[in-house]
């Protein structure tokens, strides 16, 4: 979700800010080892290991979205689909905002594995999805989905820009780290998306 929801909308700005930057976007099904053989820099939500420097970008906030924009009897779309933590996203949301959702009583959940699936299910009018705010903002400002209030809940993921310690002072990588930090700060500034 970070690629299509955060990087791609800002890619033109990155190329304008750092014209010499060569950008190749990759998404991995499993977490790759952080190594120069894969990339010079990474954005990850995983723990940063020894030998790497990181710039904290932001903590992921989830926001409910749906086609109708109402919390009526719509199913809840969850990306917490494993048995041990089933619907943990919605449980955290309801707990943080002291909401009693009727869907919990009837166990109306549609499980899926990724935020992009949850977003597509919401667009297909299948229910209410909890998705990262950066992923939802474009579709709620211009498109079919509606944000259901401003209440968010943290997912537990923190995004970081990461480079190898030995390379962190290279001009291109330093410029890239500054750009990512500036963009993250702009995103969280009051009145900004």
């Amino acid at each position: 979700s970070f690629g299509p929801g955060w990087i791609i909308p800002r890619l033109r700005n990155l190329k304008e800010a750092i014209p010499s930057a060569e950008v190749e976007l990759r998404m991995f099904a499993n977490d790759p080892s952080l190594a120069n053989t894969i990339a010079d820099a990474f954005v990850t939500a995983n723990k940063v290991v020894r030998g790497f420097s990181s710039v904290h970008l932001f903590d992921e906030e989830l926001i409910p979205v749906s086609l109708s924009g109402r919390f009526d009897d719509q199913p809840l779309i969850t990306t917490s689909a494993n048995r041990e933590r089933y619907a943990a996203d919605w449980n955290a949301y309801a707990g943080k905002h002291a909401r009693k959702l009727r869907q919990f009583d009837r166990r109306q959940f549609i499980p899926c594995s990724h935020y992009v699936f949850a977003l597509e299910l919401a667009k297909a009018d299948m229910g209410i999805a909890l998705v990262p705010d950066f992923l939802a903002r474009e579709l709620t400002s211009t498109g079919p989905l509606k944000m259901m209030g401003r209440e968010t809940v943290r997912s537990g993921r923190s995004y970081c820009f990461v480079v190898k310690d030995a390379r962190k002072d290279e001009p291109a990588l330093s410029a890239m780290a500054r750009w990512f930090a500036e963009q993250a700060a702009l995103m969280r500034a009051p009145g900004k998306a």
Side-chain angles (χ1 to χ4, degrees):
S1 60
F2 186 84
W6 201 89
I7 292 279
I8 290 175
R10 292 170 174 81
L11 196 54
R12 184 178 308 277
N13 179 285
L14 171 63
K15 293 298 287 173
E16 290 170 0
I18 311 171
S20 63
E22 293 180 27
V23 178
E24 179 180 327
L25 300 177
R26 292 185 184 188
M27 183 170 59
F28 294 92
N30 297 315
D31 302 325
S33 63
L34 301 178
N36 286 339
T37 57
I38 295 174
D40 295 321
F42 306 83
V43 173
T44 184
N46 296 327
K47 182 179 176 187
V48 178
V49 296
R50 203 168 88 179
F52 289 85
S53 292
S54 67
V55 175
H56 178 264
L57 301 176
F58 58 88
D59 297 326
E60 186 176 75
E61 298 277 339
L62 304 179
I63 192 160
V65 297
S66 78
L67 209 54
S68 73
R70 293 186 324 268
F71 263 118
D72 52 17
D73 292 332
Q74 295 184 79
L76 301 176
I77 301 164
T78 181
T79 54
S80 299
N82 62 22
R83 273 189 207 156
E84 299 82 36
R85 302 201 52 204
Y86 193 79
D89 50 358
W90 279 106
N91 281 308
Y93 179 85
K96 179 179 177 190
H97 301 294
R99 283 189 176 267
K100 292 189 185 260
L101 300 171
R102 287 183 283 179
Q103 293 92 324
F104 282 121
D105 298 332
R106 295 190 307 211
R107 296 290 176 197
Q108 278 191 324
F109 288 101
I110 298 174
C112 62
S113 60
H114 293 84
Y115 292 135
V116 290
F117 291 155
L119 198 60
E120 291 302 316
L121 285 164
K123 283 170 47 181
D125 202 17
M126 297 296 296
I128 307 166
L130 267 178
V131 295
D133 59 354
F134 63 81
L135 189 59
R137 290 211 191 281
E138 180 74 22
L139 289 172
T140 56
S141 65
T142 63
L145 292 178
K146 295 174 183 68
M147 281 193 291
M148 303 176 67
R150 298 271 179 215
E151 296 174 338
T152 64
V153 65
R154 286 197 172 166
S155 70
R157 287 183 191 83
S158 284
Y159 289 96
C160 294
F161 178 82
V162 180
V163 296
K164 206 168 182 67
D165 278 338
R167 300 190 62 198
K168 71 180 179 182
D169 294 325
E170 290 181 18
L173 293 174
S174 292
M176 183 101 38
R178 279 192 307 279
W179 181 86
F180 270 88
E182 288 165 3
Q183 292 298 307
L186 282 173
M187 181 182 83
R188 294 292 177 220
K192 300 288 182 179

